[in-house]
Amino acid sequence: MPAAGKKQVHLAAQLPAIHNVTVWSDPRSKSQIAIDSFIRLAQAAERGKFDFFFLAEGLRLREHKGQVYDLDVVGRPENLTVLSALAAVTTRLGLAATVNTTFNEPYEVARRLATLDHLSDGRTAWNVVTSFDAFTGENFRRGGFLPETDRYARAAEFLRIARALWDSWADGDVRADAEAGEFVRPAAGRFTERGRHFDVSGRFTTPRGPQGHPVIIQSGESGEGREFAASDADVIFSKYNRLDQARAFYRDVKGRLARYGRAPDDLKIVPTATAVVADTDEEAAAYADEITRAQVGPQTAIAHLEAVWGRDLSAYDPDGPLPAIDPEPDSLVLKGHSVFRKGRGETARQWRKLAAERGLSIRELVIEVSGGQTFVGSPSTVADAIDHFVQSDGADGFVLVPHLTPGGLDDVVDRVVPLLQEKGVFRTEYTGTTLRDHLGLSRPPHATYPGRGQKDEKEAS
């Protein structure tokens, strides 16, 4: 039974592949590509009654000093193809994918997502992202074609058109009336959508999915990104898993919803997080330190420093002090990575100050600024910490990123989730069939958007 007056915790899982989170050298670590790895993680998440399983995506292999950045996990298959396979081996778990709006087209993406929603009986989610760099664009022969300042405008228009395509079919448009000889209503699927970035018209092939629209996820941190989430998203990923910062982010984003006629529960805020569980708090702390040092080895520490300094620092000792030389602000040694592309001079100043105050070596500093592990302790300690974070309005739940593939969720699912269930803050069974049901979100009614089929003079000017 849900505990009276307490928020329910939402949990999701992400298979790590974009950053150097996975400890691939661990003997328990298996393939990052084999379908069996995806199946085991997804089925563990479903066993734990998680809301959804999420796959991030990068559209180009990152490069460090001109070579493939081999500290990332590379070779990931395409998201929606993998999730289509997982739809056949799960029954309730939501299936969420990153799909880029800079290097795709609304018709193609809307059709693929609607198809997955049908295949999964209403469990699809779309993490709407943009690309910021010409480096990624080179894979598409469109490098630098879109100024960064326009990326959210394109994304908003892209999403508006995708929704219009889904709504080009009303729920009753598939009639299959043998007596009348009518399979679909004559106007089903017709659309005309014009704006600044797109001018499309035709007939959409796929009827509305069970959810009406897939769940929309957003992960922008900027003011523009937060506003986009407040106006259009159902879920927003947050990078804040320190409670004071998380509460400030939570208040800010939730406070933006009213201007769009939305209630606080219409948008779920879920930071990414890790969990290290052992029999005792002391054992967990030792294990967490072991994991973090495996994630931030000497090579990783120097690579992080080079990304900020814009210089080759391979001659420096990772267990020694930070370099005395200044960063080169216009030099990039790590391409395709969004973390260290802006404000690197200020980042270097803050890192030097922290290293001096704490007496940290290069590697110790990178471990410190990387954040370490989020929840560390015995099962009861971790369950209490997750519950406290949510009840304190730091989040509505978490996207858990395990350090091992494919067994990294097992401790949380088997040892922590039962304690959250005992507290009455986490479901013991799925009570609905769709991802919207799991998140407490209503199904969007069929809508005719203002101005559909007409040219928007303001956007076209």
Side-chain angles (χ1 to χ4, degrees):
M1 289 287 292
K6 297 197 76 175
K7 292 167 60 178
Q8 292 295 293
V9 174
H10 293 275
L11 292 178
Q14 175 182 344
L15 186 147
I18 298 300
H19 303 293
N20 55 293
V21 174
T22 295
V23 182
W24 58 266
S25 58
D26 190 297
R28 295 168 295 175
S29 182
K30 305 301 180 184
S31 173
Q32 309 292 319
I33 297 174
I35 189 61
D36 287 350
S37 293
F38 292 91
I39 289 172
R40 180 172 170 189
L41 270 167
Q43 290 183 336
E46 185 163 76
R47 187 172 78 249
K49 306 300 184 289
F50 282 32
D51 289 348
F52 60 87
F53 178 67
F54 169 60
L55 296 181
E57 183 170 68
L59 294 179
R60 178 165 179 171
L61 294 179
R62 302 170 191 195
E63 293 183 8
H64 179 241
K65 295 189 287 191
Q67 302 297 318
V68 170
Y69 183 53
D70 59 3
L71 300 176
D72 281 350
V73 176
V74 300
R76 169 78 75 73
E78 191 275 327
N79 286 348
L80 292 177
T81 305
V82 173
L83 293 179
S84 295
L86 295 181
V89 294
T90 56
T91 59
R92 290 291 182 267
L93 183 70
L95 304 169
T98 292
V99 183
N100 191 289
T101 61
T102 306
F103 301 115
N104 283 294
E105 297 296 323
Y107 181 92
E108 176 190 17
V109 170
R111 185 179 185 222
R112 291 164 68 202
L113 289 165
T115 299
L116 181 58
D117 210 47
H118 281 288
L119 286 176
S120 64
D121 292 326
R123 296 186 279 138
T124 304
W126 171 21
N127 181 33
V128 181
V129 302
T130 65
S131 282
F132 64 86
D133 61 346
F135 174 77
T136 299
E138 290 172 0
N139 272 356
F140 300 87
R141 293 292 185 263
R142 294 163 66 178
F145 85 101
L146 182 67
E148 185 175 353
T149 52
D150 288 345
R151 62 189 179 125
Y152 275 114
R154 178 185 166 96
E157 189 175 312
F158 193 115
L159 178 57
R160 176 181 63 78
I161 292 175
R163 283 174 165 155
L165 294 176
W166 294 324
D167 279 346
S168 66
W169 287 79
D171 288 333
D173 275 353
V174 180
R175 299 195 65 190
D177 187 337
E179 290 186 8
E182 183 179 62
F183 185 66
V184 299
R185 289 183 176 143
R190 294 196 183 279
F191 66 89
T192 298
E193 295 296 328
R194 298 190 176 101
R196 178 182 170 191
H197 295 275
F198 303 100
D199 184 351
V200 293
S201 62
R203 194 157 191 165
F204 192 55
T205 60
T206 311
R208 280 181 121 222
Q211 293 188 111
H213 303 167
V215 168
I216 300 301
I217 303 172
Q218 209 273 331
S219 55
E221 160 58 20
S222 67
E224 196 172 12
R226 296 181 189 202
E227 205 66 25
F228 183 35
S231 64
D232 284 299
D234 302 304
V235 175
I236 182 169
F237 291 151
S238 162
K239 69 177 184 180
Y240 299 112
N241 48 39
R242 214 181 76 186
L243 186 55
D244 57 342
Q245 295 176 336
R247 293 184 71 185
F249 180 83
Y250 191 93
R251 287 193 301 269
D252 177 78
V253 174
K254 295 276 187 174
R256 298 171 187 251
L257 293 168
R259 73 187 68 167
Y260 299 102
R262 306 182 70 195
D265 283 345
D266 291 340
L267 176 67
K268 308 300 182 190
I269 297 177
V270 287
T272 55
T274 59
V276 179
V277 183
D279 290 340
T280 67
D281 291 352
E282 293 75 20
E283 291 173 350
Y287 185 30
D289 182 66
E290 178 184 331
I291 292 168
T292 302
R293 294 188 70 80
Q295 291 170 331
V296 185
Q299 183 185 0
T300 304
I302 293 297
H304 273 62
L305 205 68
E306 289 176 333
V308 174
W309 257 252
R311 295 174 177 269
D312 182 348
L313 302 174
S314 57
Y316 283 80
D317 180 359
D319 293 318
L322 268 64
I325 56 176
D326 292 328
E328 291 190 12
D330 297 325
S331 173
L332 284 176
V333 299
L334 181 58
K335 293 184 177 181
H337 200 308
S338 63
V339 175
F340 300 125
R341 66 192 182 92
K342 289 183 176 180
R344 290 188 289 122
E346 176 60 20
T347 297
R349 188 192 67 78
Q350 293 176 357
W351 283 16
R352 274 183 171 150
K353 182 174 183 290
L354 178 61
E357 291 174 348
R358 302 271 299 276
L360 302 176
S361 67
I362 292 172
R363 187 180 181 192
E364 290 168 339
L365 173 72
V366 173
I367 288 173
E368 180 71 21
V369 299
S370 297
Q373 310 304 319
T374 314
F375 299 112
V376 178
S378 67
S380 61
T381 295
V382 171
D384 288 346
I386 290 174
D387 184 37
H388 175 69
F389 203 109
V390 171
Q391 305 309 326
S392 300
D393 287 341
D396 294 308
F398 293 93
V399 181
L400 296 177
V401 187
H403 72 283
L404 284 179
T405 301
L409 283 180
D410 292 344
D411 280 340
V412 172
V413 167
D414 297 331
R415 306 183 70 185
V416 176
V417 165
L419 299 181
L420 293 172
Q421 292 168 335
E422 288 179 11
K423 289 174 176 287
V425 298
F426 192 75
R427 67 172 68 89
T428 56
E429 295 293 340
Y430 290 110
T431 56
T433 59
T434 72
L435 179 53
R436 289 186 174 275
D437 292 334
H438 306 341
L439 294 168
L441 301 171
S442 61
R443 184 178 189 271
H446 177 265
T448 300
Y449 288 89
R452 270 188 63 191
Q454 300 177 4
K455 193 164 186 176
D456 188 322
E457 295 181 359
K458 181 177 179 182
E459 287 188 327
S461 61

